[in-house]
């Protein structure tokens, strides 16, 4: 399990390299308008409509997940290198599509790989770490690039320095992918059903339908928030750029604490309760930033970030794994990313671009607050929690069918 922890660390370090200052880089050095920035964010999410489901399907069909990960990181490093040297808006937008194609499938594939490996260990009677205690290494990896980049940015380095940092972590991830333990196919021999279809039936069946719909609005809100939060902190609040990554990562540091507390939180308020708490924090954060654009509020607003991550990126993954059978354990993560996260992010990115163009950066936060409120109400009042896997052992052998 050491190699998969390292893989989470390195892959999220790639995201942590580019996310805090990418929109600042696109506006200042790429010459992008706000609408074009929103379009770039949307184009990077377009591959989520097919890539995650296809790649996790290949993993369920017994193509080595390590080879897929290596190919994804190779492609991502190449594309980020080309973006670094690109001087054309059209070329940069095109490269964003290819970067998304390589990278968006990596996260659900890593999740599927972990759960497949955990299931293998469970069946062999070996101890299995809880998912949050493995996923926490992703949060640590996200923080590190901002610490590395703080000094050069303080010395006047251009925002484009985020790209070499991301490329370096891509190469480290590529090397680490070959240290992962191979996981043989766990599905019964002779299974002919398409894993992606089984996964789709499980996600939109009675047990998870409202979870999927609620999270659509949540990921819509997240895409509007992260599309322009760097610009908002820079242009509206006036925070120095070298501090933007550090402020964003204050929330990620607190995420470490929340992730460590998650097993305790699950015992007290269950997994659904954790999600309701996180979505409430997301609504509060966006409203605070929109209504009180000061450096103090920018820092305070990060306090709920950890609970938000539990609600969006840890809780749903665990719920989905409770519904998954061995024959579609990878695919359920990829299909969810495609059908729910991908669609929401594509629509959200374009909507954010239009909203900022017409109403300014603050309008984007109000849009996100409205969408996250919809998510909160759906999850709180319409979604019934999915019991732990041990309570569903026999029910999850085959997926729930669509009515």
């Amino acid at each position: 399990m050491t190699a998969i922890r390292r893989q989470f660390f390195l892959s999220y370090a790639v995201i942590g390299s580019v996310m805090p200052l990418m929109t600042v880089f696109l506006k200042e050095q790429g010459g992008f308008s706000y609408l074009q920035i929103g379009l770039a964010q949307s184009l990077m999410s377009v591959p989520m409509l097919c890539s995650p489901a296809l790649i996790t399907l290949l993993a369920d069909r017994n193509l080595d997940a390590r080879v897929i990960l290596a190919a994804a990181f190779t492609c991502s490093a190449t594309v980020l290198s080309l973006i670094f040297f690109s001087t054309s808006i059209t070329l940069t937008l095109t490269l964003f599509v290819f970067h998304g194609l390589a990278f968006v499938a990596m996260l659900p594939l890593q999740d599927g790989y972990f759960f497949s490996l955990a299931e293998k260990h469970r069946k062999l009677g070996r101890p299995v770490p809880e998912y949050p205690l493995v996923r926490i290494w992703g949060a640590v990896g996200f923080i590190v690039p901002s610490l590395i980049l703080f000094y050069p940015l303080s010395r006047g380095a251009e925002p484009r320095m985020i790209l070499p940092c991301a490329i370096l972590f891509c190469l480290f991830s590529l090397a680490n992918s070959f240290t992962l333990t191979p996981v043989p196919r766990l599905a019964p021999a002779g299974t002919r059903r398409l894993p992606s279809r089984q996964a789709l039936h499980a996600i939109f069946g009675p047990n998870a339908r409202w979870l999927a719909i609620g999270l659509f609005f949540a990921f819509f809100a997240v895409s509007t928030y992260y599309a322009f939060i760097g610009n908002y902190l820079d242009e509206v609040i006036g925070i120095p750029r070298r501090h933007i990554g550090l402020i964003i990562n204050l929330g990620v540091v607190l995420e470490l604490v929340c992730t460590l507390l998650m097993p305790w939180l699950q015992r007290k308020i269950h997994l659904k309760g954790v999600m309701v708490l996180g979505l409430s924090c997301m609504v509060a954060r966006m409203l605070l930033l929109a209504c009180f654009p000061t450096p103090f509020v920018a820092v305070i607003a990060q306090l709920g970030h950890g609970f938000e991550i539990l609600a969006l990126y840890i809780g749903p993954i665990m719920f989905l794994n409770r519904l998954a059978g061995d024959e579609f354990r990878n695919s359920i993560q990829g299909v969810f990313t495609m059908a729910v996260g991908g669609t929401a992010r594509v629509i959200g990115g374009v909507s954010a671009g239009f909203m900022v163009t017409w109403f300014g950066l603050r309008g984007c936060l109000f849009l996100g607050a409205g969408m996250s409120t919809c998510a909160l109400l759906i999850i709180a009042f319409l979604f019934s929690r999915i019991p732990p896997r041990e309570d569903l052992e026999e029910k999850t052998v085959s997926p729930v069918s669509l009515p």
Side-chain angles (χ1 to χ4, degrees), residues 163-276:
L163 295 175
C165 186
I167 293 165
L168 182 63
F169 280 111
C170 277
L171 296 177
F172 286 147
S173 297
L174 168 63
N176 188 70
S177 65
F178 294 103
T179 69
L180 297 172
T181 304
V183 179
R185 180 168 167 76
L186 296 173
T191 300
R192 294 185 178 181
R193 290 175 296 178
L194 187 66
S196 298
R197 184 175 181 181
Q198 293 176 270
L200 192 63
H201 285 175
I203 291 168
F204 290 101
N207 283 342
R209 183 183 298 128
W210 287 112
L211 174 69
I213 294 172
L215 287 171
F216 171 86
F217 287 102
F219 286 122
F220 187 112
V222 164
S223 66
T224 64
Y225 174 83
Y226 285 111
F228 292 102
I229 187 59
N231 301 89
Y232 188 82
L233 296 176
D234 177 26
E235 299 174 36
V236 177
I237 299 182
I239 293 172
R241 290 169 192 168
R242 65 181 181 276
H243 293 142
I244 290 176
L246 296 180
I247 288 177
I248 290 175
N249 276 291
L250 170 63
V252 183
V253 171
L254 297 174
E255 176 190 335
L256 302 178
V257 179
C258 293
T259 305
L260 290 172
L261 287 174
M262 189 164 183
W264 178 81
L265 288 170
Q266 280 184 260
R267 291 193 297 271
K268 295 297 182 181
I269 59 176
H270 302 296
L271 200 48
K272 176 183 172 179
V274 173
M275 294 186 63
V276 170

Side-chain angles (χ1 to χ4, degrees), residues 28 55 68 93 108 121 123 150 193 195 248 266 276 324 336 380 399:
E28 290 210 348
I55 288 180
I68 302 175
L93 286 172
H121 282 213
K123 289 182 175 180
F150 178 78
R193 290 175 296 178
I248 290 175
Q266 280 184 260
V276 170
F336 176 80

